[in-house]
């Protein structure tokens, strides 16, 4: 805080270090958090194992699978302790699965780890970071378990629980011969595309028949000829647990890309499979299945996240929701029952109307009328906004509705008419395949109400997070990007024993119970230790017997270690407990014991409030870790009374006195001594202690900075104020002036006068002489010295004639040796903004007065062609008068000229268009540089714009000279067919394929479309075939390359704020373009595999209205090239640096206590993405190199390096110039610009 304040001798203040450099206590590694109120454990995500976690939780909450696995003992599976033994036969996968299940059931932690299990799978660290398909994992895991359990009593575990049989039959219509083929299954895969729900998908698979007829006949083995036949499939054997995989992911053969089917797909909580089975004569209970798990996928086809909804069959978890939320939901359900029905998908409404019609088809208009009669509201009013027009809605559901060829009539397909009647009435219907003679009953009714103890509670298990949900929440997963992906049903007949209800220890082997009990004991011990460590505070006890009081503060009489005792105590204990602990540490204490808060200050240790209230906790009284406590009797220390409290806090002041003036130095010097005073000391007491008779005290208004010269006098009326009230703090300086020093002070104003000015010098160099080496002298001056006096002193020092005083002036010399504008002679050093030690040049020529301006000017902005000239004009002169004077001095004539300012790039910038305005009115300042530019200024409100034609760049083939290429755009010199005589002032644009087209003069209120139309009238543009202005793209020219893209053809040029010196380049297009405000135009180019080169660039339009992140751009580029997102790498090109900056879309795993940061926009640092930027693309399927650079980039960087070396060499030569022998130019080398980039792993 005080910097080097106490580097001086301060021996009378003790140099103790208590309270400084406190080391933070190493935090004890926290044990896993205990389970939350649900009493269920989640599973940690290792980076990309959410799919594994969802499947493991499903298997855990399948009690029959769990208990069958637990029934296998060490005698069959072996033990994990024997895994390192060479001859041991250890079935490690089922053992690790048993152990994980036991941890999930019994271990008191929020989430379990699957690291040991995945290691048993043989997965490397990279495998846990990759996401796979959960349906594929289900089959692979079951296969691994079957292989692991061969030769044990659990060899048929998977088949016993999940195995089913499908039979495919072909029936000959002539001989009635039945040919059948039997297939085993562990899970059923059903279609999603074009299907309304699970029942319809099963109907299509196991009820609908396929007929062989006409040209598609079947060869019957019995008849030995081609005959008509029917093909069907049925479920022959149903497993206890039915797993259904939904085909959410499909392939679009037109676009050649994968996509996810997000349409609505319903599935029931209970389902009767009788209609789909071969044998239908058994009791209904044999066919009834209940849903108990739904694995959900959120995201797209190239990545996403899995979590699972699970029904707690054994009631192991604590299910509860907020009562207020339940009340609101029930109240809303009762109030809006009818409205809720109406706002459902209109499919059911339309199917109901059509199923009641006797005719196969009715007119679409009549269907809309019947909807209005039945619901009291029209289609357009209720459904059009969400679902579109009625006719279009019917066309979008061809699997349900059958439209006539002309689209005017509609009917319900026979399959859905049967299903709808079945759904509505629950009647016994005959299958369309009546030749089988099989009668089936299908009943879709609301689930039977179950008692609260029947295991009907659902939970959402999302990796480590577990939360209760309602059964109706499952309906939210029917459709969308987050939707159901796998369904798990269990037979309704399967009943759980009463002793399993709410008992997580049920059927767990004894050795696992003992292991979990020991682990829980260890967890409790670690949590207690962590709790104690996190609540423990370290206190520093300062014992009064080891201290003495002097100079207003306490100082240790012994070493720091001997005078301070460290004590660790729980912050939840009371002050009384602290007293007892202190007594135990001290072992003996006589008299009263008082504990006071202490604070180490620069002056020493100071005491504050006394700690009272033995019943209060240490946390309650504000004791923090590392606090200092002083133990004493509350009255005195070492026989000296001690003043306590903030009002007596000691303050260290720097007391300065004037030293004798050092002639060879710079300004006045001080002697400095430190003193300590209580902050309640009055200024009168301070004056008596420090100032002699007649002396005065001044304070430094700049704080602790003794070099600042803002000294203020304390007056007589201030003497009653205290040190604290006037703002004097530790390290502040006060100046004591004796009576003979007070001549420097203007007591009336209370400020120092001449004393505050540093007596220093300025260098003056003689540029008026004829000698080869210009002499220089040092002139003593202050900041109030007038420039005319400095000039006369310099003339005398140079022994020049005094008459030169009226014919010379002083001009500052810049760091590179340039003579700057002369300084008015009536200015002081301060007004001239000169620093002490600056170099001035004594030059020929009269100095300008305070009303005159010294200006530089040149003809054209090229300094190599036109030398810089100087002129002095009145600031009240008009622009026209100034231009005439400059033309006269430069030897030019005519009225085809105008003036422009020189911008920071040393190019002709803003034009001085107001010819009659004065230089002062236009803020033209002394030392400004103006440029005489050829050509008349356009009239007010008009723009004169140079036009460039941007030709399509021709990409050179591999093997051609790479030095002729820059950024993939080749410079064609032959395209610049503009002679120096025809257009001498037109700049060329090296490095770009730009052809100068000419100038146009256009009104500022004209539209961009008008500008494009006028461009087409230019001679070199008439050869181009452009149907409409929308086939042209307009850019501003910035740094000799296309800059900002001009959008919206109807927008006026004045709206773009182009400026007077703008240049426009026009790019022809192959098709019309009208970019919106949220569309970004990028140029993408694909890397050539095996070569450090790219193919020709393509235009890519990217909509950034939703997000402008690296991940979104990767998706857009991948879609453009029809490649998977994870198989490309992209980078932005910076042509001015010849560098590529990869665009990383990886995200970081962060603590759950921190909010996930929003991904940064690519339009901000470090990418600054804008229109026209080049994006390089690497196809990782063909090219796995991550280097985006090309040979052209290497050449460009080498040229930049050579140019930098030449500039550095020229600067060094200038520094060593004999004209400036004593001058050292402040040349601080610039660090190379390095792009900030953070590469983090991808976690999807």
């Amino acid at each position: 805080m005080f910097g080097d304040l106490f580097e001086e001798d301060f021996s009378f203040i003790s140099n103790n270090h208590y309270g400084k450099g406190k080391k933070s206590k190493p935090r004890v590694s926290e044990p896993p958090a205990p389970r939350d109120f649900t009493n269920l454990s989640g599973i940690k995500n290792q980076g990309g194992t959410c799919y594994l976690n969802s499947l493991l939780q499903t298997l855990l909450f399948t009690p029959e699978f769990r208990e069958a696995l637990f029934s296998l003992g060490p005698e069959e599976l072996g033990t994990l302790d024997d895994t390192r033994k060479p001859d041991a036969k250890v079935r490690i996968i089922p053992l690790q699965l048993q152990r994980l299940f036991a941890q999930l059931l019994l271990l008191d932690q929020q989430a379990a780890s699957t690291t040991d299990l995945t290691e048993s799978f043989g997965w490397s660290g990279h495998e846990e970071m990759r996401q796979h398909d959960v349906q594929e994992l289900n089959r692979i895991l079951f296969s691994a378990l079957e292989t692991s359990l061969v030769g044990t009593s659990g060899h048929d575990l998977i088949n016993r629980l999940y195995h089913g049989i499908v039979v495919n039959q072909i029936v000959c219509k002539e001989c009635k011969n039945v040919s059948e083929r039997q297939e085993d299954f562990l899970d059923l895969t059903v279609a999603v595309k074009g299907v309304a729900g699970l029942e319809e998908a099963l109907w299509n698979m196991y009820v609908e028949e396929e007929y062989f007829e006409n040209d598609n006949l079947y060869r019957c083995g019995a008849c030995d000829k081609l005959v008509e036949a029917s093909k069907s499939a049925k479920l022959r054997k149903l497993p206890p647990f039915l797993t259904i995989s939904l085909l959410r992911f499909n392939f679009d053969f037109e676009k050649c890309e994968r996509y996810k089917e997000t349409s609505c797909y319903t599935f029931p909580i209970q389902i009767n499979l009788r209609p789909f089975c071969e044998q239908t004569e058994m009791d209904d209970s044999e066919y009834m299945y209940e849903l108990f798990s739904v694995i959900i996928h959120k995201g797209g086809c190239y990545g996403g996240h899995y979590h699972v909804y699970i029904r707690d069959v054994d009631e192991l978890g604590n299910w509860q929701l907020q009562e207020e939320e339940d009340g609101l939901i029930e109240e809303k359900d009762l109030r809006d029952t009818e409205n809720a029905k109406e706002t459902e998908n209109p499919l059911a409404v339309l199917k109901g109307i059509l199923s009641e019609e006797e005719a196969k088809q009715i007119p679409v208009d009549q269907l809309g009328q019947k909807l209005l009669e039945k619901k009291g509201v029209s289609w357009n009013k209720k459904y059009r906004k969400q679902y579109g027009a009625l006719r279009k809605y019917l066309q979008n559901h061809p699997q349900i509705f059958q439209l006539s060829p002309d689209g005017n009539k509609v009917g319900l397909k026979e399959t859905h008419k049967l299903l709808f009647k079945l759904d509505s009435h629950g009647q016994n219907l005959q299958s369309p395949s009546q030749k089988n003679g099989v009668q089936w009953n299908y009943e879709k009714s609301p689930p039977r109400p179950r008692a609260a103890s029947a295991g009907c509670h659902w939970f959402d298990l999302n990796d480590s997070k577990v939360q209760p949900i309602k059964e109706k929440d499952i309906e939210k997963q029917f459709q969308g990007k987050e939707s159901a992906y796998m369904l798990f049903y269990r037979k309704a007949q399967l009943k759980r024993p009463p002793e399993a209800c709410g008992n997580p220890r049920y059927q767990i082997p004894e050795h696992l119970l003992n292991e979990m009990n020991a682990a829980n004991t260890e967890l409790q011990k670690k949590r207690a230790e962590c709790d104690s460590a996190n609540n423990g505070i370290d206190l520093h006890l300062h014992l009064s017997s080891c201290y003495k009081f002097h100079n207003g503060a306490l100082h240790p009489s012994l070493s720091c270690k001997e005078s301070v005792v460290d004590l660790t105590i729980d912050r939840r204990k009371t002050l009384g407990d602290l007293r007892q602990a202190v007594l135990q540490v001290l072992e003996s204490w006589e008299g009263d014991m008082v504990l006071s808060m202490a604070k180490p200050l620069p002056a020493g240790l100071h005491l504050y409030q006394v700690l009272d209230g033995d019943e209060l906790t240490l946390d309650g009284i504000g004791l923090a870790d590392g606090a200092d406590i002083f133990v004493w009797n509350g009255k005195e220390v070492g026989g000296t009374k001690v003043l306590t409290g903030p009002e007596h806090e000691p303050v260290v002041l720097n007391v300065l006195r004037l030293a004798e003036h050092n002639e060879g130095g710079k300004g006045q010097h001080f002697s400095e001594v430190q003193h300590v005073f209580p902050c309640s000391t009055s200024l009168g007491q301070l004056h008596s202690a420090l100032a002699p008779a007649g002396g005065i005290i001044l304070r430094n208004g700049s704080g602790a900075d003794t070099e600042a010269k803002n000294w203020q006098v304390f007056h007589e009326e201030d003497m009653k104020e205290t040190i604290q009230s006037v703002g004097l703090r530790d390290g502040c300086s006060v100046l004591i002036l004796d009576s003979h020093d007070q001549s420097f002070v203007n007591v009336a104003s209370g400020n120092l006068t001449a004393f505050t000015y540093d007596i220093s010098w300025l260098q003056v160099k003689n540029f008026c002489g004829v000698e080869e080496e210009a002499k220089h002298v040092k002139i003593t001056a202050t900041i109030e010295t007038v420039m005319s006096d400095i000039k006369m002193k310099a003339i005398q020092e140079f022994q020049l004639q005094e008459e030169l005083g009226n014919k010379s002036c002083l001009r500052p010399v810049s760091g590179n040796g340039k003579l700057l504008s002369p300084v008015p002679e009536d200015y002081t050093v301060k007004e001239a903004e000169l620093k002490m030690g600056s170099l001035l040049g004594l030059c020929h020529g009269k100095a300008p007065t305070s009303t005159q301006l010294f200006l530089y000017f040149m003809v054209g902005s090229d300094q190599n062609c036109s030398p810089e000239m100087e002129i002095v004009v009145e600031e009240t002169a008009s622009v026209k008068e100034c231009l005439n004077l400059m033309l006269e001095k430069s030897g030019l004539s005519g009225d085809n000229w105008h003036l422009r300012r020189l911008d920071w790039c040393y190019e002709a910038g803003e034009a001085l268009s107001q010819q009659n305005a004065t230089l002062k009115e236009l803020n033209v300042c002394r030392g400004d540089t103006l440029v005489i530019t050829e050509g008349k200024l356009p009239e007010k409100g008009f723009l004169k714009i140079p036009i460039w034609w941007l030709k399509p760049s021709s990409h050179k083939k591999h093997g051609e000279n790479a030095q002729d290429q820059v950024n993939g755009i080749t410079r064609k010199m032959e395209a610049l067919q503009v002679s120096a005589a025809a257009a001498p002032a037109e700049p060329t644009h090296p490095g770009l394929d730009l052809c100068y087209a000419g100038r146009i003069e256009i009104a500022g209120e004209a539209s961009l479309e008008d500008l494009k139309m006028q461009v087409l009238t230019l001679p070199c543009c008439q050869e181009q075939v452009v149907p409409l202005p929308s086939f042209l793209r307009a850019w501003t020219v910035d740094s000799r390359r296309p800059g900002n893209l001009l959008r919206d053809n109807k927008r006026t040029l004045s709206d773009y704020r182009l400026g007077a010196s703008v240049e426009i380049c026009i790019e022809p297009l192959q098709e019309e373009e009208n970019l919106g405000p949220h569309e970004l135009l990028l140029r993408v180019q694909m890397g050539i595999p095996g070569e450090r080169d790219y193919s020709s660039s393509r235009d890519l339009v990217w909509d950034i209205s939703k997000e402008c992140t690296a991940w979104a751009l990767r998706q857009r580029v991948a879609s453009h090239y029809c490649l998977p997102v994870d198989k490309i790498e992209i980078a932005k090109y910076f042509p001015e640096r010849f560098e590529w900056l990869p665009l990383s879309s990886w995200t970081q795993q962060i603590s759950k206590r921190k909010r996930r940061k929003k991904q940064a926009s690519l339009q901000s640092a470090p990418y600054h993405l804008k229109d026209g930027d080049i994006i390089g693309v690497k196809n990782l399927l063909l090219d796995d190199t991550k280097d985006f650079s090309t040979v052209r980039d290497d050449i460009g960087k080498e040229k930049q390096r050579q140019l930098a070396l030449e500039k550095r060499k020229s600067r060094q030569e200038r520094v060593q110039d004999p004209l400036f022998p004593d001058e050292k130019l402040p040349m601080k080398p610039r660090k190379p610009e390095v792009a900030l980039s953070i590469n983090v792993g991808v976690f999807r």
Side-chain angles (χ1 to χ4, degrees), residues 297-427:
H297 180 265
K298 178 181 180 180
C301 56
Y302 295 111
H305 178 67
Y306 290 95
H307 62 110
V308 61
Y309 287 177
I310 289 182
R311 179 160 66 90
D312 186 10
V313 177
D314 278 352
E315 296 186 31
L316 302 178
N318 178 25
W319 188 92
Q320 60 181 13
L321 290 174
Q322 296 180 3
E323 296 179 1
E324 296 81 4
E325 184 182 5
D326 291 347
L328 288 173
I329 293 174
E330 291 175 5
E331 181 181 348
K332 185 176 179 182
D333 289 345
L334 292 173
R335 186 175 67 250
D336 298 330
T337 302
E338 291 300 321
N339 293 337
K341 289 181 180 178
E342 291 178 4
T343 55
E344 292 176 355
N345 194 312
L347 271 176
V349 180
L350 297 177
K351 286 163 69 175
I353 294 173
L354 291 173
S355 64
E356 295 173 357
E357 294 296 321
E358 296 181 0
K360 288 188 176 181
Q361 290 186 331
I362 63 173
V364 175
D365 296 338
Q366 186 178 344
L367 175 62
Q369 184 63 31
K370 288 183 177 293
L371 174 66
L372 176 62
E373 293 172 359
K374 184 170 184 178
K375 293 294 181 183
V377 62
S378 67
W379 174 273
N380 289 343
K381 189 172 182 180
K382 187 163 190 66
Y383 299 112
R384 185 184 179 93
K385 184 176 181 181
Q386 184 176 359
Y387 299 100
L390 175 59
R391 196 181 305 273
K392 185 177 179 181
Y393 182 79
L394 298 172
Q395 291 172 350
N396 290 339
H397 294 79
Q399 70 275 14
I400 300 174
F401 305 107
Q402 186 170 2
L403 287 166
S404 61
D406 58 3
N408 292 328
K409 290 187 177 182
V410 63
L412 196 64
K413 285 193 172 181
E414 194 66 25
T415 300
H416 288 275
K417 188 173 290 188
L418 287 169
L419 277 175
F420 189 86
K421 290 180 180 179
L422 179 69
D423 186 24
S424 304
H425 309 294
Q427 298 172 348

Side-chain angles (χ1 to χ4, degrees), residues 1008 1012 1029-1033 1045-1051 1056 1069 1071-1079 1101:
L1008 180 61
K1012 293 179 179 179
S1030 55
F1031 281 78
L1032 294 177
R1033 183 185 292 155
L1045 179 62
L1046 304 181
R1047 307 164 187 268
D1048 190 357
N1049 285 332
K1050 302 301 180 183
R1051 193 175 179 186
Y1056 293 109
L1069 304 174
E1071 55 186 20
E1072 287 188 273
E1073 178 179 84
N1074 189 11
L1075 296 178
H1078 298 294
E1079 289 180 318
V1101 178

Side-chain angles (χ1 to χ4, degrees), residues 224-235:
D224 196 21
K225 63 178 181 178
L226 295 174
V227 296
E228 292 185 351
S230 62
K231 180 182 178 182
S232 63
K234 292 289 182 183
L235 295 172

Side-chain angles (χ1 to χ4, degrees), residues 666-816:
K666 176 183 176 182
Q668 296 287 348
H669 279 205
F670 304 101
S671 64
E672 181 176 354
V673 180
Q674 285 81 17
H675 288 270
V676 178
F677 296 94
C679 64
S680 58
T681 303
S682 67
L683 292 182
Q685 294 171 328
L686 184 68
H687 184 275
S688 302
L690 298 177
I696 60 174
I697 301 178
L698 300 94
R699 65 168 294 181
N700 188 349
S702 301
D705 186 6
T706 59
E707 291 297 323
K709 301 303 181 289
N710 187 18
W711 295 100
Q712 298 173 350
V713 177
F714 286 125
H715 296 287
E716 188 65 31
E717 57 269 20
D718 298 327
M719 292 298 128
K720 294 182 179 179
E721 298 288 337
T722 63
I723 290 178
Q724 186 178 29
S725 63
V726 297
L728 290 176
R729 300 288 184 267
D730 284 309
C732 285
S733 299
V734 295
L735 176 62
I736 309 299
L737 291 182
D738 297 332
S739 56
H740 63 276
D741 295 326
Q742 296 180 26
S743 59
F744 294 107
V745 179
N746 181 354
V747 180
S749 63
N751 294 321
L752 286 174
T753 54
F755 172 76
T756 61
Y757 308 138
D758 281 344
I759 300 173
S760 189
W761 45 263
L762 294 170
Q763 290 187 92
V764 179
K765 186 175 292 186
N766 182 14
F767 286 94
C768 294
V770 294
E771 296 89 350
E772 292 185 1
E773 291 189 9
K775 295 180 180 180
H776 68 280
V777 295
K778 290 184 179 180
I779 306 298
T780 303
T782 69
I783 61 174
E784 291 298 320
T785 306
V786 181
M787 297 304 300
S788 59
D789 296 339
I790 297 175
K791 184 179 73 170
M792 295 310 297
K793 288 181 182 180
I795 291 174
Q796 293 174 6
E797 291 288 338
F798 288 130
Q799 298 179 357
L800 301 174
Q801 298 178 358
E802 292 187 4
E803 290 79 7
L804 190 62
N806 296 325
K807 302 177 182 178
S808 62
C809 61
L810 291 177
R811 301 179 63 173
V813 183
S814 68
N816 56 10

